[in-house]
Amino acid sequence: GNRLFKEKNYKLAYKVYERGVLIINGMYQLNEKDEDEMEQVECLLDLNMALVSLKMEDWTEAINCCKMAIQIDEKNAKSYYRWSEALIGMSDYDEAKKQSLKAKELEPKNIAIDRQITRIDKLKKEQLEKAKKE
């Protein structure tokens, strides 16, 4: 999947990641340690699927993948960051900021999140100025 992603073959990369999730969900009778490990792998696959969806500008699917990742690990800042990116793509800046602030809460020193919040504020301001002119 990662090789396909680097080659910008997003649809196929998504399918590979999705297949990984399906395989993990089909595993039974794992001990607790293996189950925890597989859950973390599934979370990463969900986040990879979210990233691929963002690249394909499939905002709704990106959000769904982030939600699946959050069900596994609600303390993963990347889930909220990517959810926010999808909302930015949808021009829903208020909700985007909420998700970005959740990410910031989890990773206060993450510069990418700071940049995202600044970008959201700028886009929101532009949106308001454009609305005033119309």
Side-chain angles (χ1 to χ4, degrees):
N2 292 347
R3 181 179 56 81
L4 291 165
F5 180 84
K6 286 178 185 154
E7 293 169 1
K8 294 184 176 17
N9 191 341
Y10 300 128
K11 281 186 179 168
L12 198 52
Y14 184 94
K15 286 181 180 170
V16 170
Y17 296 137
E18 186 176 42
R19 184 176 163 92
V21 170
L22 292 171
I23 290 168
I24 289 169
N25 286 326
M27 291 180 169
Y28 299 103
Q29 298 173 332
L30 295 174
N31 63 41
E32 203 172 313
K33 181 183 173 282
D34 289 342
E35 199 173 304
D36 289 344
E37 199 175 298
M38 286 299 106
E39 275 194 343
Q40 288 312 305
V41 171
E42 184 179 349
C43 186
L44 288 174
L45 291 169
D46 288 334
L47 287 171
N48 286 351
M49 288 168 29
L51 183 59
V52 169
S53 298
L54 288 171
K55 293 288 185 186
M56 294 190 300
E57 297 184 4
D58 187 346
W59 314 126
T60 306
E61 186 58 24
I63 291 169
N64 288 337
C65 293
C66 291
K67 287 179 178 178
M68 288 189 293
I70 289 165
Q71 283 180 338
I72 296 167
D73 180 4
E74 61 186 17
K75 295 193 183 325
N76 189 318
K78 202 176 276 189
S79 302
Y80 298 101
Y81 178 87
R82 289 188 181 162
W83 187 345
S84 180
E85 285 297 314
L87 291 164
I88 291 167
M90 298 167 94
S91 302
D92 188 346
Y93 304 124
D94 291 333
E95 281 302 311
K97 186 148 184 187
K98 283 180 192 171
Q99 297 308 322
S100 201
L101 289 172
K102 284 181 190 173
K104 180 77 176 155
E105 217 173 276
L106 295 166
E107 288 187 20
K109 293 186 170 112
N110 188 319
I111 295 165
I113 298 169
D114 292 333
R115 286 193 200 116
Q116 184 184 56
I117 292 169
T118 302
R119 198 169 83 239
I120 292 167
D121 290 340
K122 183 178 176 242
L123 289 166
K124 171 102 173 132
K125 188 178 172 191
E126 287 171 8
Q127 187 182 52
L128 289 170
E129 286 170 7
K130 189 178 176 186
K132 283 180 191 173
K133 290 178 185 172
E134 290 175 359

